[in-house]
Amino acid sequence: MLQLLLAHIAAALVAPALMKLMGRRGFLVLAAAPAATAIWAVLQTPAVLAGNGPVVSLDWMPAIGMNLDFRLDVLSWFMTIIVGGVGTFVLFYCAWYFATGAKYLGRFGAVFVGFAGAMLGLVTTDNTLVLYIFWELTTVFSYLLVGHYFDRKGARRSAMQAIIVTTLGGLAMLGGIVLLGQMEGGSYSLRELVATPIESTGPLLPVALVCVLVGALSKSALVPFHFWLPGAMAAPTPVSAYLHAAAMVKAGVYLVARLAPGYAEVPAWRWTVLVSAGITMILGGYRALRQHDLKLVLAFGTVSQLGFLILLVGQPDQGVALAGIALVGAHAMFKAALFLTVGVVDAATGTRDLRELSGLHRTLRWAFIPAVLATASMVGLPPTAGYVGKEAVLASLLYADTPFALASLIVVVLGSILTFAYGARFLWGAFGQKKGLEDRPVDREAAGLFVSPNVLAVLGLLAGLFPLAGETLLAPYADTYPAGEPGHLTLWAGFELPVLLTAVIIVAGVGLFLLREKIEKVQEIAPSRIPDMDQIYRNTMRRLDRVAVVITSRTQRGSLPLYLAAILTVMVVSAVIALAGGGVTVESWRWWDTPAQVIVGVVIIIGAILTARARRRLKSAILVGITGYGVVVLFGIHGDPDLALTQALVETVMLVVMVLVLRRLPAYYSNRPLAADRWWRIVLAVAVALVVMALALVAPGYRVDEPIWVLFPDEAYNFGYGKNVVNVTLVDIRAWDTMGEISVLLAAATGVASLIFLRTRSGSVLRARDAERSSVWAEDAPDPLAPLRRNGTREPSSSRRGRQWLSGGESLAPQRRSVILEVTTRLVFHTMLLYALFLLFSGHNAPGGGFAAGMVAGIGLVIRYLAGGRYELGEAAPVLPGALLGTGLFLSAGGGMVPLLFGGTVLQSVDLEFTAGIFGEVHVVSTLVFDVGVFLVVVGLLLDILRTLGAEVDRQGEAAGTSAPEIAFDSPRETPDDVHPAVEAGSPGQQEDPR
């Protein structure tokens, strides 16, 4: 099973390149992943029926009960076949559905296959926490698929609506999962939860079950969450056929079916299922009768059918459960076939409006045939799979003889009448001959477009013709339900009450169809009297936005000092309260260990005071750096070279970043009279300092257990195979923390870029050969490129080799060049890179590691940029930052997953030993791959910052005419004789003396 999940991941990763190479025919190759899944599941049939299905169990986070447990029983086997089989046919269909040269096919294929993999993990995992992860992955993937046409407002709105509603339900489900796992007798194993149901008389069990059901109902679009699914029809038709008929919406049905054998008799469960599913079945059918878009007819029909399915699999009766799970398979086949048929009609005619379609039963026969077969199965006509399942439902509910069964039977009959009516409406609307309407002209479509709907429709027919086979395969699952008699699937059970009810359903359904015009008129009035959940949702979101605006306007006043003062005040007050009521005890303490600490401390204090008094932004940035470097010295005095090195590198980079940002800000802080509130600020600052010192003195006295760091040295050496405890902690002991941190770094880089770039981010790297003379250079400034031009053409770089220190420096105005800096950069850059590699490879046993190495390499790039400008940055790193960030994250995550292939755990370290000739015995730890990933992420982050806060800010400044070509004249006390026009116009960095 893990191999199949990895196959889907691999297919998703190669999809963009594959689609670029093969075009839409690449979908045929991508179909191999779900096809392999379906074939593998079919081959496991004997073992599954014998109760010996494959089981995989790998430790992941055993401390919280979160392990990679997968197993294949009858239910998961059946869902795996549906997910893989229908996914294969839909991808096959995509190869002819999309137009040649359609945009974003690579992304679509990747997300589609990723969704199929997430569904595979969802239906096979046995761990509820892992199930939640796959659950949310399907939510994210469906959001991307529904919003595939992101240039359309309707698609974006529908995608956002779907993800908000399903995520809300998912969070409720997570709460229920945690409650079920933490209760007495509870577990995070689905098998254990069902095999030994929790017995509790308190309120926690009903609350937990209702929370889980909220997640299932929201995912399967049941009332009151039903409104998101019709809106999701803005997605391409293949998405509707798979996600909203066979896969995603089936996740809720699957979860209910998985837990029902253990909890279907709990009153909270039964009432929730009966009310929500019953209303959904009737409401969905009612709404389908008034739709004119074929996809919306099927969408509301899907809502109705999902209510029908959950009503059945959520019952405790074995016969009803057997019929319900049989209808799950029938629904996947007939609804996917119908959606794909609508795609054919839309492609051939250019419309889905049933009022504009006529005569297609003659011109689109290969679409008409699967539509007839699939509609017959949907409405329950023999000899289809839908008919077999519906008859079994009626028989089981008739003979169950319980109030819940009777109520369910009434709902099923009424819902089935509506199903027959909208099924007839769909078939007539798409293919019927309409009076007064000429036959709709059609375009000739490729034969491949008709294959998938016909195959799925025929499979639904064959499943109905061999009901005994279906009963044999699905009965072991139905037998796990606690009540009732075993059910049967049959084409003919004699002239009994179920047959009579079927006749009533058909006659009433035909009557509703014939009265469709009158019913439409009635429905035009009814909506004003029936609550519209979609409108309620929109009104709620609008009110939520208004409330957020009001609260934000009151609390977010735009004053950073106010925000900081509020945070620090809360911290001081809460700490004082805790210290006052906590029985404060202070252990022995001393002023210093060595006199050097006193000297450094005095320097830090002086730097902090001068920073607070500084009026110039650049001065304050430098003074803050002094305090940071003072901390570096303190780390060194205490014998911690790793922290000292990291702190020094971080301080250096932060200083550069602050200087880059300050270029777009005035040189001086605002001219505010601080006399009124200066003393309050001083009081708060002193209070914070005293509280922090008090906490530092008191905190050690509250320790009751041995510090965890005591175990780190042995753990680092015995399990991480390294002597540098800090680095081993980052890449092994607490590798998950590091994984989260580098993910945050990647998100931060993306956020910075989105704030700076005013246009689409360039997919190219600007090199020195792309440089042109800037339009903002002084008119009388000599052209630095003039000696390199011949007759107006720039001389090839090969002929200039050896004549310049930095290639990109030629693009700078003479006033901005520094020969000393260029020479120094040329001499030290490669040395810094070699030192970075040394830190990277030696960091496991000596000071260093991926983070420090990345910082050193990044500082090297900073120096190249400062010396030669933005074109020199392209020469130093001719690669896009996104490539480094993505590769680094992939190496860290992928390297952590490799041990799973060899029976290990995620992020487990392996020590490889070998002899390397003159180098002797060499030890290489597998976490080196993780560290390389960290290195690339850090370098990518710094490169992205330089491209945004550096190169892009330079470009914007020059384009706007706000950047002078010479070094900024920044004194507010005097004015130069020759001021650049940009400065004269009031460029950033120039303002009057605030004093």
Side-chain angles (χ1 to χ4, degrees):
M1 282 178 275
L2 286 179
Q3 290 85 346
L4 290 172
L5 289 173
L6 293 175
H8 281 81
I9 295 174
L13 292 175
V14 303
L18 182 66
M19 303 305 291
K20 186 176 182 180
L21 178 66
M22 300 181 62
R24 62 182 184 175
R25 295 295 184 265
F27 285 112
L28 300 177
V29 179
L30 294 180
T37 298
I39 293 172
W40 172 80
V42 171
L43 295 177
Q44 299 297 323
T45 302
V48 170
L49 294 179
N52 299 320
V55 176
V56 176
S57 182
L58 295 174
D59 288 341
W60 186 12
M61 302 183 202
I64 62 172
M66 191 172 182
N67 297 319
L68 298 177
D69 298 329
F70 300 89
R71 67 187 181 95
L72 203 67
D73 59 7
V74 173
L75 179 59
S76 57
W77 163 84
F78 188 54
M79 294 299 299
T80 299
I81 292 178
I82 292 175
V83 170
V86 177
T88 302
F89 288 116
V90 173
L91 282 172
F92 186 88
Y93 176 90
C94 288
W96 286 274
Y97 175 79
F98 289 100
T100 302
K103 294 182 179 180
Y104 314 119
L105 289 187
R107 184 186 64 186
F108 179 88
V111 176
F112 194 101
V113 176
F115 177 86
M119 275 301 301
L120 173 62
L122 189 152
V123 299
T124 56
T125 184
D126 185 55
N127 187 280
T128 54
L129 294 174
V130 177
L131 180 142
Y132 173 74
I133 292 177
F134 285 118
W135 189 279
E136 292 306 311
L137 282 176
T138 61
T139 297
V140 174
F141 286 136
S142 69
Y143 166 76
L144 297 174
L145 290 171
V146 172
H148 175 68
Y149 299 122
F150 57 85
D151 53 343
R152 304 175 185 176
K153 182 179 179 180
R156 297 195 304 269
R157 184 176 60 189
S158 297
M160 185 59 67
Q161 178 176 273
I163 196 172
I164 289 176
V165 173
T166 54
T167 300
L168 178 65
L171 291 174
M173 185 186 77
L174 177 62
I177 287 173
V178 173
L179 285 176
L180 291 176
Q182 296 298 121
M183 291 175 61
E184 183 179 354
S187 173
Y188 289 107
S189 167
L190 286 167
R191 180 181 56 82
E192 294 179 4
L193 283 173
V194 175
T196 56
I198 301 173
E199 297 181 1
S200 174
T201 57
L204 283 183
L205 180 60
V207 169
L209 293 176
V210 170
C211 286
V212 172
L213 284 175
V214 167
L217 301 183
S218 65
K219 186 72 89 174
S220 290
L222 267 65
V223 170
F225 311 104
H226 61 286
F227 57 90
W228 73 261
L229 193 147
M233 294 300 111
T237 296
V239 175
S240 302
Y242 189 55
L243 274 69
H244 307 136
M248 176 183 171
V249 293
K250 288 293 196 307
V253 178
Y254 165 77
L255 184 60
V256 172
R258 174 61 72 188
L259 294 176
Y263 302 97
E265 293 183 313
V266 176
W269 175 287
R270 298 197 69 171
W271 280 109
T272 302
V273 168
L274 177 63
V275 173
S276 179
I279 295 176
T280 301
M281 186 178 184
I282 295 175
L283 180 62
Y286 167 80
R287 293 289 299 274
L289 290 176
R290 56 177 293 198
Q291 305 303 320
H292 300 291
D293 187 314
L294 294 177
K295 279 185 73 172
L296 287 180
V297 173
L298 295 180
F300 282 102
T302 300
V303 171
S304 177
Q305 291 286 307
L306 290 171
F308 184 28
L309 295 177
I310 286 186
L311 180 66
L312 300 181
V313 298
Q315 300 275 342
D317 187 87
Q318 294 183 10
V320 177
L322 177 62
I325 197 63
L327 283 172
V328 168
H331 178 268
M333 291 182 285
F334 69 66
K335 193 53 68 78
L338 290 173
F339 271 114
L340 296 182
T341 300
V342 170
V344 175
V345 172
D346 192 11
T349 65
T351 183
R352 298 194 305 261
D353 193 329
L354 57 83
R355 295 168 296 186
E356 300 177 7
L357 299 172
S358 180
L360 297 187
H361 64 287
R362 289 189 298 268
T363 53
L364 283 178
R365 291 182 180 178
W366 288 107
F368 178 59
I369 293 173
V372 171
L373 293 176
T375 302
S377 184
M378 180 173 67
V379 303
L381 292 178
T384 60
Y387 168 78
V388 172
K390 184 176 65 64
E391 290 296 300
V393 170
L394 295 175
S396 299
L397 290 177
L398 275 169
Y399 303 129
D401 194 24
T402 64
F404 279 97
L406 179 60
S408 300
L409 179 63
I410 295 172
V411 170
V412 168
V413 172
L414 293 176
S416 298
I417 293 172
L418 294 171
T419 301
F420 197 99
Y422 71 70
R425 176 184 178 85
F426 168 82
L427 195 61
W428 166 81
F431 298 95
Q433 185 71 50
K434 307 200 176 51
K435 294 180 180 180
L437 188 64
E438 296 181 359
D439 288 359
R440 181 80 180 187
V442 299
D443 296 330
R444 182 179 178 84
E445 299 297 328
L449 199 62
F450 299 90
V451 172
S452 293
N454 276 277
V455 171
L456 288 167
V458 171
L459 287 175
L461 176 63
L462 293 176
L465 292 174
F466 300 96
L468 184 59
E471 180 181 332
T472 303
L473 295 172
L474 301 177
Y477 162 73
D479 292 342
T480 62
Y481 277 70
E485 298 293 330
H488 298 284
L489 301 178
T490 180
L491 267 174
W492 179 249
F495 288 101
E496 298 184 359
L497 282 178
V499 176
L500 179 60
L501 287 178
T502 298
V504 171
I505 290 170
I506 294 174
V507 172
V510 171
L512 284 179
F513 170 71
L514 295 176
L515 297 173
R516 57 186 177 276
E517 294 181 359
K518 295 182 179 180
I519 293 175
E520 287 184 19
K521 292 180 180 180
V522 172
Q523 289 197 347
E524 290 177 359
I525 304 173
S528 61
R529 297 180 175 86
I530 298 178
D532 187 344
M533 288 303 302
D534 184 62
Q535 191 61 43
I536 292 174
Y537 164 82
R538 296 180 189 278
N539 292 337
T540 301
M541 296 304 295
R542 278 195 290 267
R543 291 189 178 95
L544 185 62
D545 289 340
R546 292 170 186 167
V547 171
V549 169
V550 172
I551 294 177
T552 302
S553 64
R554 299 290 177 83
T555 59
Q556 304 294 312
R557 309 306 295 267
S559 172
L560 294 179
L562 179 62
Y563 301 157
L564 183 60
I567 294 172
L568 294 178
T569 300
V570 172
M571 186 271 288
V572 169
V573 172
S574 58
V576 169
I577 293 174
L579 291 173
V584 176
T585 58
V586 179
E587 295 185 350
S588 60
W589 57 281
R590 54 188 179 275
W591 288 102
W592 59 76
D593 293 322
T594 63
Q597 292 175 321
V598 179
I599 298 174
V600 176
V602 170
V603 172
I604 292 175
I605 293 172
I606 293 175
I609 295 174
L610 293 177
T611 300
R613 292 181 55 82
R615 305 292 297 134
R616 292 174 62 96
R617 298 179 190 272
L618 181 60
K619 181 191 295 184
S620 63
I622 295 174
L623 290 172
V624 167
I626 291 176
T627 63
Y629 287 116
V631 175
V632 172
V633 176
L634 289 178
F635 283 146
I637 293 175
H638 278 282
D640 199 332
D642 243 318
L643 288 179
L645 174 64
T646 303
Q647 179 73 14
L649 296 172
V650 171
E651 285 295 332
T652 303
V653 170
M654 288 300 300
L655 182 60
V656 172
V657 171
M658 292 177 69
V659 171
L660 291 177
V661 174
L662 291 179
R663 295 184 303 166
R664 300 300 294 253
L665 295 174
Y668 286 84
Y669 292 108
S670 59
N671 186 19
R672 289 187 56 196
L674 304 179
D677 58 355
R678 178 183 300 173
W679 294 107
W680 290 109
R681 299 186 185 204
I682 293 175
V683 170
L684 180 59
V686 173
V688 171
L690 294 176
V691 166
V692 171
M693 287 189 291
L695 291 175
L697 293 173
V698 172
Y702 283 88
R703 187 183 299 279
V704 294
D705 295 317
E706 185 180 31
I708 191 172
W709 57 262
V710 174
L711 304 175
F712 273 27
D714 291 337
E715 294 285 330
Y717 190 76
N718 295 329
F719 297 97
Y721 309 104
K723 298 178 181 179
N724 183 353
V725 179
V726 174
N727 181 259
V728 176
T729 299
L730 294 176
V731 300
D732 186 285
I733 299 175
R734 303 195 65 177
W736 280 110
D737 288 354
T738 306
M739 183 73 71
E741 289 162 2
I742 62 176
S743 300
V744 171
L745 287 179
L746 191 148
T750 304
V752 170
S754 66
L755 292 173
I756 299 300
F757 277 87
L758 302 180
R759 56 181 182 172
T760 302
R761 298 188 64 178
S762 174
S764 60
V765 178
L766 295 178
R767 307 285 294 274
R769 58 177 175 268
D770 303 312
E772 296 181 0
R773 178 170 177 148
S774 174
S775 61
V776 300
W777 287 352
E779 292 297 330
D780 57 348
D783 183 358
L785 302 182
L788 307 177
R789 302 179 188 274
R790 293 178 179 174
N791 300 325
T793 304
R794 189 172 181 181
E795 184 178 338
S797 59
S798 59
S799 64
R800 309 193 311 269
R801 187 169 298 164
R803 291 194 240 159
Q804 76 277 352
W805 289 96
L806 299 177
S807 301
E810 302 170 0
S811 65
L812 294 177
Q815 297 90 337
R816 295 181 60 185
R817 299 188 66 178
S818 169
V819 176
I820 296 177
L821 181 57
E822 290 185 19
V823 172
T824 304
T825 301
R826 179 69 178 267
L827 294 176
V828 304
F829 177 72
H830 298 91
T831 303
M832 294 182 70
L833 293 186
L834 290 175
Y835 182 58
L837 293 177
F838 169 76
L839 291 176
L840 174 64
F841 289 102
S842 67
H844 213 61
N845 292 289
F851 184 83
M855 296 296 287
V856 172
I859 293 174
L861 296 177
V862 169
I863 295 175
R864 288 284 290 269
Y865 164 73
L866 295 177
R870 65 178 181 271
Y871 296 105
E872 183 61 29
L873 181 62
E875 294 291 331
V879 61
L880 292 174
L884 294 177
L885 291 166
T887 303
L889 189 61
F890 173 76
L891 286 177
S892 297
M897 299 294 289
V898 168
L900 293 177
L901 302 177
F902 303 96
T905 59
V906 178
L907 296 173
Q908 180 179 352
S909 298
V910 178
D911 185 21
L912 305 177
E913 300 182 16
F914 57 91
T915 303
I918 61 174
F919 297 101
E921 294 290 332
V922 176
H923 295 263
V924 177
V925 184
S926 59
T927 49
L928 177 63
V929 177
F930 187 95
D931 226 7
V932 171
V934 174
F935 169 79
L936 293 177
V937 168
V938 174
V939 174
L941 172 66
L942 294 179
L943 180 59
D944 213 12
I945 290 176
L946 291 175
R947 287 189 76 224
T948 51
L949 298 179
E952 179 63 11
V953 169
D954 290 342
R955 187 199 67 78
Q956 293 178 16
E958 291 182 5
T962 58
S963 293
E966 58 273 351
I967 298 175
F969 192 88
D970 203 24
S971 174
R973 295 184 177 83
E974 52 184 325
T975 304
D977 296 332
D978 186 14
V979 181
H980 187 270
V983 177
E984 196 171 25
S987 65
Q990 301 293 328
Q991 67 176 48
E992 296 181 358
D993 186 352
R995 292 169 290 185

